[in-house]
Amino acid sequence: MSGIVTAVSSNGEYSFTKPNRDSITLLAGLGVEGDVHAGVTVKHRSRVAQDPTQPNLRQVHLIHEELFVEVGAEGFEVVPGDLGENITTRGIDLLGLPVGTLLRIGDDAVLEVTGLRNPCLQIDNFQDGLLKQVVGRDEAGNVVRKSGIMSIVKEGGVVRPGDTIAAELPSGPYRPLERV
C-alpha cells in the first residue's frame, strides 16, 4: 500500500487552518518542528483541559486529498491545510489502516498511526454544514469519522510535497482505528 504527499502544513499558533509549506521537519517523539501541536504530552486545547499529562498521540495529522473531492461534490471548497492537517496525501487509504501501521515518508521519516481524528464543531465554524460531511453513520448506525488520522513520529526527517508514502502493516491481529 502506497501513496504520495500532496501538501505539508504547519502553524506555530493555535488556529483551525494551517498554512502550506515547502517542507516540514518531523522530530522523533515530538511531531512537526515549530507546530503548536508538537510535544510529548497533549497540546490540543480540549485534551490539555482534561489532563495535560496525557501522552500526545496526535503529533501529526494526515488527511487524504480524496476527501476534498468528496466534499467538493457537495458544494464545499476545502484545500490542503484548511482542516488543520500537517500532511495531505493521495492514493493511500488512510482510514482503512490499522492502529500501529508505520508510514515511511520520503527518505527518512517514519510515522506510527495511532487513530482517527475526532472532528469537532470548529469544522462547522470553518464552513457551515461541513461537519456532517466528514462525520456520519454507516448502515449499522456506527459513527464514521472521515477527517483523517493521527500519528506519532517514530523517526524524524524532512517531508515535502511529492514524497512517497509506504505503509507497513503491523503483525496481526489488526486493531481498527478508533478516535484519539
Side-chain angles (χ1 to χ4, degrees):
M1 192 177 315
S2 63
I4 191 166
V5 174
T6 60
V8 294
S9 310
S10 67
N11 198 339
E13 300 177 9
Y14 281 105
S15 172
F16 183 70
T17 62
K18 294 187 180 196
N20 294 157
R21 309 286 183 193
D22 292 333
S23 67
I24 56 173
T25 301
L26 302 181
L27 304 173
L30 295 174
V32 178
E33 182 177 48
D35 192 82
V36 70
H37 294 113
V40 174
T41 56
V42 292
K43 301 300 175 197
H44 288 79
R45 289 177 171 168
S46 62
R47 305 293 168 126
V48 170
Q50 290 174 359
D51 177 3
T53 67
Q54 294 177 72
N56 188 1
L57 301 178
R58 300 164 56 102
Q59 293 175 356
V60 181
H61 175 200
L62 298 92
I63 284 186
H64 51 295
E65 188 176 72
E66 292 85 351
L67 178 64
F68 304 155
V69 174
E70 181 182 327
V71 300
E74 299 298 323
F76 295 91
E77 184 178 337
V78 181
V79 297
D82 277 355
L83 298 181
E85 76 276 10
N86 301 111
I87 299 175
T88 309
T89 68
R90 183 180 338 122
I92 186 168
D93 180 12
L94 296 177
L95 303 178
L97 298 173
V99 172
T101 298
L102 297 179
L103 298 175
R104 299 186 182 282
I105 305 176
D107 294 332
D108 302 308
V110 179
L111 298 176
E112 181 179 336
V113 175
T114 57
L116 294 168
R117 176 192 183 186
N118 191 33
C120 64
L121 289 176
Q122 289 184 40
I123 292 175
D124 267 352
N125 293 337
F126 173 68
Q127 285 186 42
D128 190 42
L130 184 57
L131 182 60
K132 283 187 175 183
Q133 300 299 313
V134 299
V135 77
R137 297 201 177 266
D138 64 15
E139 301 79 32
N142 300 311
V143 174
V144 176
R145 294 172 179 86
K146 299 187 276 186
S147 61
I149 63 171
M150 306 307 285
S151 62
I152 58 173
V153 181
K154 298 300 279 184
E155 295 179 28
V158 176
V159 176
R160 296 176 178 85
D163 282 350
T164 58
I165 306 167
E168 183 180 310
L169 299 176
S171 55
Y174 297 148
R175 290 184 343 195
L177 296 178
E178 296 178 2
R179 68 186 177 107
V180 293

